[in-house]
Amino acid sequence: LKMDKYENRAMELESGIAAFETKNFAHAIKLLSPIADEGNNEAMYRVAIMLQNGLGCQANTQKAFEFMGKAASNGYPLAQHAFGFMFFEGECTEKNIDEAIKWFTNAAEQGLMGSATTLAMIYEEGKLVEQDLEKSQYWYKKAGIEKT
């Protein structure tokens, strides 16, 4: 029984994600890299994390940035949040608060609580952007946090 390429890929993706979750990064990068190269969001997101931190591979921040950006642009919320964080922290790229906010917002609008909370805190602190308590309240509410 010969499996078609698609079924095979699906199994490799599943195995790769499982390897990633159990922190078997060397195995995960081997399985997920070819799938990431094909443009799969879940694979690109995880490969980006491994490349960014040198997990199971040589660190490669440029490639990490590229993969994370692709998955983020494809609308993958976890990647959008992580991509926002790259701009927020100046990791793999120059610090850019506007870009960070843009990607946190994309992720938060898709229901990612961590992104909504991050946005709420940015607007509440008013250090990186002008303080905006209305926006802060809005994002806290989105994150399910009641602030009075």
Side-chain angles (χ1 to χ4, degrees):
L1 190 76
K2 201 179 160 299
M3 266 195 295
D4 68 5
K5 187 177 182 250
Y6 184 77
E7 273 180 304
N8 206 16
R9 267 290 182 259
M11 279 180 66
E12 282 170 13
L13 178 64
E14 220 171 285
S15 303
I17 290 171
F20 180 88
E21 300 301 339
T22 56
K23 298 186 170 30
N24 184 351
F25 297 119
H27 190 53
I29 198 119
K30 208 168 72 191
L31 286 170
L32 294 177
S33 285
I35 305 172
D37 288 333
E38 289 170 2
N40 177 285
N41 290 333
E42 289 180 277
M44 288 192 293
Y45 168 67
R46 287 172 178 85
V47 168
I49 290 172
M50 291 185 278
L51 287 169
Q52 185 179 353
N53 300 291
L55 302 168
C57 61
Q58 233 10 75
N60 183 336
T61 52
Q62 193 190 334
K63 204 132 171 63
F65 182 78
E66 273 171 38
F67 274 139
M68 200 63 88
K70 264 189 201 158
S73 299
N74 289 342
Y76 190 62
L78 290 172
Q80 291 175 334
H81 182 77
F83 199 50
F85 237 88
M86 285 178 170
F87 286 109
F88 187 71
E89 296 289 345
E91 281 185 24
C92 307
T93 187
E94 294 291 306
K95 250 185 200 183
N96 183 332
I97 192 63
D98 295 330
E99 278 294 306
I101 286 172
K102 178 183 118 180
W103 291 107
F104 287 148
T105 303
N106 285 341
E109 281 170 351
Q110 291 197 69
L112 211 65
M113 299 298 174
S115 299
T117 308
T118 303
L119 284 166
M121 282 159 49
I122 290 171
Y123 285 117
E124 185 179 38
E125 273 183 357
K127 272 197 217 119
L128 301 165
V129 294
E130 209 177 311
Q131 190 183 44
D132 187 332
L133 296 177
E134 222 169 276
K135 272 187 182 171
S136 177
Q137 276 301 117
Y138 171 82
W139 288 115
Y140 273 128
K141 217 169 165 175
K142 275 266 206 210
I145 298 166
E146 284 305 315
K147 278 234 169 191
T148 46

